[in-house]
Every structure is written in C-alpha cells, then in structure tokens.
C-alpha cells in the first residue's frame, strides 16, 4: 500500500517516544513509590494492581484496534500516558499511586496491539520477522537513553521535573500519531479462515505459547521489580547509576538482539528461534547465585535480556502466522496478554520474596521459571 513506508517510518519514531516513556517509568516509578515510605511488597502490590488492569484490557485493546482502527486506539493510549505523570506530581502517599500506575499501565494495552497490527498490515508474510526485528530497534533506543536521562533528572531536579519530562514525551508521542495514515481494511475472512482459530490444534498450540510467555515474563517481572532495590540497597548505587545499569542491561541488550532475531525467525524458523533463545536462560539465571560482583551481575542481566528479546520477532511472527486477516490486532492482544500476565504476577512474587526470603531464593525461582518456559517452547509446533 502507498502509505506503508510512511507509516512504518512514523511508527518507528512513535515507538522511540513510547520506549523512552516506558523505560523511564518502569525503572523509576518503583523507586518513587518506595520514597513514599512503601515497603518493597507494597511497591509490588501497586505494580500488581496496575498490571492486572493492563492484562485485562489487553485483548480489549486488540479488539479496539480491529474494530475502531489502529490510529484511534493509539491516540487513546497517548491520552492515558499524558494524564498519568500529571497525576503523579500531586501524590503524597503510596496508596494514591495505585490508580495512577493503573492508568499508565492500561495505555500499553492500547498501544502494543495497534502498533504491531499496523506493522503487519504493511509487511509481506515472508518478511514479517525481519521487518518486525528492524522496527523493534526503537525499543532499545529508548532503553539505552531513557533510564540514564530519567536517573539524571530525578537526581538533579527532583521528582516533579521527572514527571513533567514524562508528560512532554507523552505529548510528542501523541502528536506523531496524528500524522499516521489509518491502515486499509482487510478483506472479510472466509469461513475456513475464521474457523482456523477455533481448531483443537490451534487451541493447544496457543496454550503452550501463552504458558511459555507467562512463565518467562513472570521471571522478567520479578527481575525488573527487585533489581532497582537490589542495586541501591545491595550495591549502594544512585538513581543515575541504576539508570545506567538498565540502559545497558535492557537497552544495549535488546539493540544487539532484534535484527538477528528477525533474521533467525525468517531463516531458521519461528519455533527454533524461540527454543534456542530460551535454552541458556535457566543457566544464566542460576549464575546470579554465584556472584556478588556488580560488573558480572550487569553482564548476566544483559545476557538474559538479550537472549529473551531475541524471541520477540519470532514470537510475534509465530502468532501472526495463525491469525485470520481480520483478527491480527486480537491475536497480538493474546500474545501481549500473556506478557502482561507475567509482568502482573512477577512483581507481586518478587516483592513478597524480597521482604520474606533471602535474595538467593529469588534467583532459584528465576531459574525454575525459565526452565519451565523452555519446556513449553519445545512443545510448540513449527508451523500451524
């Protein structure tokens, strides 16, 4: 379609703003809630409630994307993201953050399905993995720059300036969406195409696919929740240093994995890419038990993030291969629901373990979750 090149370029820029926003908020909002005299478990409870709402709304976001259009649904996410930091500025106690965090988390449920479906609307099937991997470079750009900038602003200028900066990012994100061209409608699916999604083979494959993502992202959710506290309380790091850690541990890690992940998805196959990428994760997670060295901890975090993020293009292409043409947004919503469910359960588990057990127990749990996720990947079919 004539507008596909323009849309992909704009989507890349929009995704950079979204990645900046999400990485800054994801790293530092837990520290902000902690600064309001909340325990680690109370912080995780606030994150859990927000992520629960986001999980519930994810497939709704995919349905909205299919029914009302990708562009309109993304504009809604921009309004929610713009509202959230303005509310945080006036916060005086940690219970207030529960609602505000929920609003911000819900915005993600409208953005990701719409963004992914619009990319797929513009891509040829044989190139989906590579195009998605190329577009995913926008995530590490935000992941590298965002946490560092957020940490500097929070350290030097305080939390009010930090949240005002987030509102500027949300405004730029929403402004860029206005220049998108809405994806053209797809042909109405045939009876056979529509029934494909209801077959027993598809249902069983979806079960393995969803379980794999729930387990791995529960592990990731635990890590993302406890590591800001692990760095500040175990290693004595400042907010800026925490930001640098996540810039490398998430931003650089995803930057080096996306294009190779897309190429592998198309050349090696969706399932094989997911299996080979998850294979090292249990071992790497267990290695946290063997070190108290900060640099080695950073390298392990980078390796885990890099291997797991290599699955992203293959994972999205895999579920798109199963999707009827008129249900792409909904199918992306299923994938995102499994991701969000993991990031809903993970922070609650992480906060509970942090407050009630030693940190070694947490690393055992991470390794166990990644092992089970790998087993689920093995049970997937290469093509459905």
């Amino acid at each position: 379609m004539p507008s596909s090149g323009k849309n992909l370029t704009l989507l890349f820029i929009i995704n950079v703003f979204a990645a900046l926003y999400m990485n800054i908020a994801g790293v530092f909002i837990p520290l902000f809630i902690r600064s309001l005299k909340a325990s680690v478990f109370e912080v995780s409870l606030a994150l859990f409630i927000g992520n629960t709402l986001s999980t519930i709304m994810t497939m709704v976001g995919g349905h909205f994307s299919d029914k009302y259009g990708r562009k309109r649904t993304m504009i809604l996410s921009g309004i929610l993201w713009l509202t959230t930091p303005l509310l945080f500025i006036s916060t005086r106690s940690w219970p207030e953050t529960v609602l505000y965090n929920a609003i911000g988390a819900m915005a993600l449920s409208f953005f990701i399905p719409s963004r992914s479906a619009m990319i797929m609307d513009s891509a040829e099937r044989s190139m989906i993995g590579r195009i998605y991997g190329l577009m995913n470079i926008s995530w590490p750009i935000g992941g590298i720059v965002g946490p560092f900038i957020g940490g500097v602003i929070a350290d030097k200028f305080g939390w009010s300036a930090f949240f005002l900066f987030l509102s500027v990012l949300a405004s730029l994100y929403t402004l860029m969406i206005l220049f998108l061209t809405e994806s053209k409608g797809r042909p109405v699916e045939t009876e056979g195409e529509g029934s494909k999604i209801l077959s027993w083979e598809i249902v069983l494959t979806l079960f393995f696919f969803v379980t794999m993502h729930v387990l791995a992202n529960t592990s990731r959710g635990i890590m993302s929740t406890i590591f800001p506290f692990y760095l500040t309380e175990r290693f004595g790091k400042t907010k800026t240093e925490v930001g640098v850690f996540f810039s490398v541990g998430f931003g650089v890690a995803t930057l080096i994995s996306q294009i190779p992940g897309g190429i592998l998805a198309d050349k090696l196959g969706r399932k094989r890419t997911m299996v080979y990428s998850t294979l090292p994760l249990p071992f790497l997670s267990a290695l946290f038990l063997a070190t108290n060295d900060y640099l080695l901890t950073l390298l392990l975090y980078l390796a885990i993030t890099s291997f797991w993020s290599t699955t992203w293009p293959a994972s999205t292409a895999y579920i798109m291969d199963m999707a009827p043409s008129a249900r792409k947004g909904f199918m992306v919503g299923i994938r995102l629901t499994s991701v969000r469910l993991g990031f809903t359960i993970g922070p609650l588990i992480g906060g509970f373990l942090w407050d009630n057990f030693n940190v070694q127990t947490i690393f055992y749990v991470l390794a166990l979750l990644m092992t089970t996720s790998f087993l689920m990947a093995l049970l997937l079919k290469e093509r459905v």
Side-chain angles (χ1 to χ4, degrees):
M1 59 184 67
S3 60
S4 62
K6 170 193 169 187
N7 271 359
L8 288 174
T9 302
L10 286 170
L11 277 172
F12 187 90
I13 298 170
I14 290 165
N15 209 148
V16 169
F17 286 122
L20 285 167
Y21 187 104
M22 290 168 57
N23 281 283
I24 292 172
V27 172
F28 294 105
I29 283 182
L31 291 178
F32 172 72
I33 300 174
R34 180 80 156 141
S35 74
L36 298 173
K37 310 303 181 184
S39 69
V40 172
F41 181 72
E42 288 168 338
V43 173
S44 68
L45 184 62
L47 299 178
F48 170 78
I49 293 172
N51 289 334
T52 299
L53 180 59
S54 176
T55 302
I56 293 170
M57 293 299 295
T58 295
M59 284 192 285
V60 176
H63 174 69
F64 277 22
S65 171
D66 289 330
K67 186 172 183 179
Y68 301 110
R70 323 302 192 198
K71 180 176 178 178
R72 289 179 183 177
T73 308
M74 281 191 277
I75 289 173
L76 177 59
S77 72
I79 293 170
L80 294 173
W81 265 332
L82 179 58
T83 302
T84 303
L86 300 177
L87 293 171
F88 267 112
I89 289 175
S90 62
T91 303
R92 293 295 177 266
S93 62
W94 79 263
E96 297 176 57
T97 66
V98 173
L99 175 62
Y100 307 156
N101 186 65
I103 294 172
M106 191 166 61
L108 184 65
S109 303
F110 294 107
F111 170 60
I112 297 293
S114 304
R115 170 256 190 196
S116 298
M118 186 174 275
I119 291 173
M120 299 309 160
D121 289 343
S122 307
E124 295 181 10
R125 186 184 181 281
S126 62
M127 295 288 290
I128 282 177
R130 274 166 282 191
I131 290 177
Y132 199 81
L134 184 63
M135 294 296 291
N136 270 1
I137 294 176
S138 55
W139 291 117
I141 291 174
I144 292 170
V145 178
F148 175 73
I149 294 176
V152 170
I153 292 173
D155 267 339
K156 300 293 184 182
F157 304 103
W159 289 115
S160 292
F162 171 85
F163 287 117
L164 285 173
F165 180 69
L166 282 182
S167 69
V168 171
L169 288 177
S171 299
L172 293 171
Y173 162 86
T174 308
L175 178 64
M176 294 304 299
I177 293 171
L178 298 177
F179 293 99
L180 285 172
T181 301
E182 184 60 81
S183 298
K184 291 184 179 180
R186 293 295 188 181
V188 177
E189 65 197 46
T190 65
E191 183 179 348
E193 186 182 20
S195 63
K196 180 176 74 168
I197 197 171
L198 299 177
S199 71
W200 171 248
E201 185 180 31
I202 294 291
V203 171
L204 187 60
T205 299
L206 277 175
F207 172 78
F208 294 141
F209 181 88
V210 167
T211 304
M212 168 196 164
H213 283 77
V214 170
L215 292 168
N217 286 290
T218 297
S219 178
R220 297 286 300 150
I222 293 171
M223 288 178 64
S224 65
T225 299
I226 65 114
F227 259 82
F229 312 124
Y230 187 62
L231 296 173
T232 55
E233 298 179 22
R234 177 63 64 92
F235 294 107
K237 300 301 180 181
T238 65
K239 297 184 188 69
T240 301
E241 290 169 326
V242 170
V244 171
F245 181 95
F246 280 94
S247 291
V248 176
F250 177 80
V252 173
T254 51
L255 178 65
I256 63 179
S257 68
Q258 289 312 289
I259 291 180
I263 294 172
L264 288 172
D266 288 333
K267 297 293 188 181
L268 185 64
R270 321 311 196 196
K271 175 188 172 177
R272 289 181 181 178
T273 301
M274 288 187 278
V275 168
Y276 295 154
S277 298
T278 54
L279 175 61
L281 296 180
F283 174 71
L284 292 171
S285 299
L287 282 179
F288 282 124
L289 293 162
T291 181
N292 286 317
D293 180 75
Y294 171 76
L295 180 58
L296 185 55
T297 298
L298 172 59
L299 292 175
L300 286 173
Y301 196 101
L302 183 148
I304 291 170
T305 304
S306 183
F307 276 110
W308 176 246
S309 61
T310 301
T311 69
W312 294 353
S315 170
T316 302
Y318 186 86
I319 202 165
M320 282 296 181
D321 289 344
M322 292 190 284
S325 58
R327 294 290 180 268
K328 288 184 178 179
F330 180 76
M331 292 297 279
V332 172
I334 290 177
R335 176 185 177 275
L336 183 56
T337 296
S338 63
V339 173
R340 296 308 303 167
L341 186 57
F343 273 95
T344 297
I345 301 168
L348 194 65
I349 295 174
F352 176 78
L353 292 175
W354 180 273
D355 280 345
N356 294 281
F357 297 89
N358 58 39
V359 72
Q360 285 76 21
T361 302
I362 297 176
F363 296 139
Y364 280 119
V365 171
L366 296 180
L368 177 62
L369 289 167
M370 285 301 191
T371 299
T372 315
S373 178
F374 167 70
L375 295 177
M376 291 297 104
L378 284 175
L379 293 172
L380 293 173
K381 290 184 175 294
E382 180 57 56
R383 287 192 179 274
V384 180

